[in-house]
Amino acid sequence: EELIQEYAHKFHFLSDYLILRLANIYGLGQQKGWFIPDTIEKIRKAIPNPETGKNPETERKEWEKEITIFNGDSIRDFIYVEDAVEAMLVLVKSGKPGIFNVGGGKSHSLKEVASELAELSEGRITVHYVNNAVNENALDITKITQATKWKPKVALKIGLKRVWEKA
């Protein structure tokens, strides 16, 4: 960011740069290695097959009805992929220069996200939390909202439901 700003200042195009700080983007097709798809996978693996009553991983009747989430009190800002793309398009079309945070407009604990996903399992799974570290990563989207009137449309609960149903 500093390099871009320095370059823009040096070559006098201060009104021509746009820097976006994106929150944790999630949505359909997201790769493993991120909190939401990994948590969905954990839950799905812990739910027994309704026909056999067995865990699909082990095919044994002894299955876990619980998953463990680490650092559940950590705070994150999540934004559904459609909202992130729309924010980028709105900013580019607006012609407004500068640095903008693009997020969901509300922070959520990992515990809250995991609980929402567990709820989508229709009560077949519970979540156990182990807190090793607590940190916060939430974005203030006031600047983009004031500059373009853009606000995210997909609430976390709705976005998680969309991903859950397609995972």
Side-chain angles (χ1 to χ4, degrees):
E1 290 178 2
E2 289 176 9
L3 183 61
I4 291 170
Q5 289 176 312
E6 184 179 317
Y7 190 84
H9 184 71
K10 183 176 182 178
F11 294 100
H12 308 289
F13 65 90
L14 292 172
S15 63
D16 292 337
Y17 74 91
L18 180 62
I19 297 171
L20 304 180
R21 296 177 181 154
L22 299 168
N24 294 284
I25 300 173
Y26 72 98
L28 304 177
Q30 186 175 22
Q31 297 176 347
K32 292 180 184 177
W34 298 94
F35 182 75
I36 290 174
D38 287 358
T39 303
I40 289 173
E41 182 179 36
K42 280 183 185 180
I43 291 171
R44 292 210 187 271
K45 284 183 176 180
I47 296 172
N49 180 317
E51 294 173 11
T52 65
K54 297 177 183 176
N55 179 296
E57 284 292 298
T58 63
E59 283 303 314
R60 295 187 327 230
K61 288 205 178 204
E62 300 84 32
W63 50 276
E64 294 289 327
K65 289 172 54 175
E66 179 178 278
I67 63 165
T68 300
I69 299 296
F70 294 91
N71 304 323
D73 289 331
S74 293
I75 304 295
R76 298 283 180 272
D77 190 338
F78 292 94
I79 183 167
Y80 193 68
V81 64
E82 291 174 12
D83 282 334
V85 170
E86 181 186 17
M88 290 177 209
L89 292 172
V90 164
L91 277 168
V92 168
K93 288 177 184 176
S94 77
K96 298 197 188 274
I99 300 172
F100 293 89
N101 293 332
V102 178
K106 183 180 179 201
S107 55
H108 302 273
S109 71
L110 297 183
K111 185 186 294 186
E112 181 183 350
V113 175
S115 293
E116 289 286 347
L117 290 169
E119 189 175 304
L120 291 169
S121 78
E122 298 172 353
R124 295 179 285 175
I125 201 82
T126 57
V127 183
H128 173 71
Y129 301 98
V130 176
N131 285 311
N132 297 343
V134 176
N135 52 48
E136 185 171 345
N137 182 1
L139 300 178
D140 178 357
I141 63 168
T142 304
K143 185 176 177 183
I144 184 175
T145 301
Q146 289 176 343
T148 66
K149 306 296 183 230
W150 173 86
K151 288 185 181 179
K153 295 177 183 159
V154 181
L156 181 69
K157 188 171 189 165
I158 302 298
L160 292 176
K161 187 171 191 249
R162 288 181 186 175
V163 175
W164 175 267
E165 289 173 349
K166 300 292 183 188

